[in-house]
Amino acid sequence: MLNKNIETFLGFDSEYDDASFVIFGAPFDSTTSFRPGTRFASKIMRSESFGLETYSPYQDADLTDFSLFDGGDLELSFGNTERALNKIEEFTTQILDDAKTPCMIGGEHLVTLGAVRAVAKKYPDLYVIQFDAHTDLREDYLDQRLSHATVIRRIWDLLGDGRIYQYGIRSGDRPEFEWAAKQHVFMQKFNFDGLGKTVEQLQGKPVYLTIDLDVLDPSVFPGTGTPEAGGVTFMELLQAVLTVSGLNIVACDVNELSPVYDQSGVSTAVACKVLRELAIAINKK
Ligand code: MN
Ligand code: MN
């Protein structure tokens, strides 16, 4: 018998009802300030993921060990940011209500706000761990309060002081760094030093993990809208993902892959591998 040609991410073959972990694409890049293109990430990741194996030698585990579901891509209104965020929030809420872990594929980083709105409603004591080259702490950007350059500030509006842990940060304007230094957020510049201590502090707390893939060095991951030299290696990011996976991660995302800027396809392959390792790490524990 023939099967319908439905392309899911590698190893995400379960039915929704059986699944514990649900990925979906949020192909939105309307507020991108420099180079758009992240709207294509989830589709290209699905097709390129088949260049990977389902088995992770790092974790001695296989995507097929778990019940994983790929919910496809949301249809988002490009001209209407608030409406796009609402749709992401609604979809995330549904997955949480069904007692599953949502994992969104961006899109530009602003999509995280929609998902965090949903998760923070269910978990008012939510903490956010952000891996990123950029602070994303601007109060507004080019007169826009909703932007990939303001997303973490908008999340701070929701959660308040002491709830956001940033790692790998190496870009932002001076006021952003000064604001962060007033203890509004915890910021580790340049690398993942101290992540183990954060994990100790957040034991038992609900955590949202957001991975802006531009935390990686552009030599590893050139396919992104605002590449920033001086980033971490793939192995450092993998180690960081494994370190935080011991926490109670109630939702997560990977964002800011912009495949068109990397003709070699390496960035997409890296993004797929990050997602594989993340899915295995969260489901394994
Ligand atoms: Mn970001
Ligand atoms: Mn970034």
Side-chain angles (χ1 to χ4, degrees):
M1 201 182 76
L2 298 178
N3 292 316
K4 268 194 277 186
N5 176 29
I6 297 173
E7 190 167 55
T8 61
F9 190 87
L10 174 80
F12 280 66
D13 301 325
S14 290
E15 297 300 320
Y16 181 73
D17 286 347
D18 303 330
S20 56
F21 189 83
V22 174
I23 59 167
F24 65 97
F28 182 83
D29 58 13
S30 287
T31 82
T32 300
S33 50
F34 188 33
R35 308 190 299 181
T38 60
R39 70 180 71 178
F40 303 115
S42 48
K43 274 201 173 65
I44 294 181
M45 281 175 70
R46 284 192 186 91
S47 54
E48 294 294 306
S49 65
F50 286 84
L52 282 176
E53 302 284 355
T54 54
Y55 175 73
S56 163
Y58 307 101
Q59 304 187 64
D60 186 22
D62 201 295
L63 288 171
T64 58
D65 297 340
F66 312 105
S67 297
L68 311 171
F69 179 78
D70 183 344
D73 284 350
L74 297 179
E75 226 175 298
L76 300 171
S77 353
F78 274 99
N80 191 329
T81 302
E82 197 48 74
R83 199 151 157 195
L85 292 177
N86 285 341
K87 207 155 185 182
I88 293 166
E89 181 179 348
E90 279 167 26
F91 199 75
T92 306
T93 300
Q94 189 198 328
I95 298 167
L96 291 171
D97 285 351
D98 294 333
K100 304 173 192 304
T101 306
C103 178
M104 178 170 59
I105 304 173
E108 59 162 78
H109 206 165
L110 181 63
V111 296
T112 301
L113 178 60
V116 168
R117 282 175 179 169
V119 180
K121 260 185 205 149
K122 179 156 183 183
Y123 302 96
D125 55 339
L126 185 68
Y127 289 77
V128 172
I129 296 179
Q130 171 199 5
F131 299 160
D132 203 329
H134 307 95
T135 61
D136 295 348
L137 288 172
R138 280 177 159 86
E139 178 55 34
D140 60 69
Y141 189 63
L142 305 174
D143 296 328
Q144 291 296 316
R145 280 174 58 78
L146 294 177
S147 157
H148 69 146
T150 68
V151 57
I152 302 301
R153 184 66 173 261
R154 293 291 83 79
I155 288 171
W156 176 85
D157 291 342
L158 285 177
L159 300 179
D161 285 347
R163 299 290 194 88
I164 297 167
Y165 290 74
Q166 305 184 301
Y167 282 87
I169 307 295
R170 56 190 184 275
S171 178
D173 68 5
R174 189 195 297 259
E176 287 179 275
F177 282 91
E178 288 173 349
W179 186 84
K182 290 177 188 156
Q183 314 286 313
H184 293 302
V185 299
F186 170 85
M187 182 197 286
Q188 174 63 34
K189 284 187 274 191
F190 312 129
N191 54 42
F192 295 114
D193 288 359
L195 188 59
K197 203 173 150 215
T198 297
V199 168
E200 273 169 38
Q201 283 169 358
L202 300 188
Q203 281 302 321
K205 310 280 191 198
V207 172
Y208 187 107
L209 173 64
T210 180
I211 303 177
D212 182 332
L213 291 163
D214 67 26
V215 72
L216 289 161
D217 192 76
S219 59
V220 179
F221 189 78
T224 193
T226 41
E228 189 68 42
V232 303
T233 66
F234 171 77
M235 286 309 296
E236 287 166 340
L237 176 57
L238 172 60
Q239 192 51 56
V241 167
L242 298 182
T243 300
V244 299
S245 68
L247 289 167
N248 178 24
I249 295 178
V250 293
C252 57
D253 66 59
V254 294
N255 60 73
E256 293 285 357
L257 167 66
S258 197
V260 292
Y261 298 116
D262 180 2
Q263 294 299 318
S264 76
V266 166
S267 304
T268 302
V270 169
C272 290
K273 195 161 177 177
V274 170
L275 181 57
R276 182 188 75 187
E277 296 302 324
L278 176 65
I280 289 175
I282 290 178
N283 284 280
K284 205 179 160 195
K285 51 153 195 160

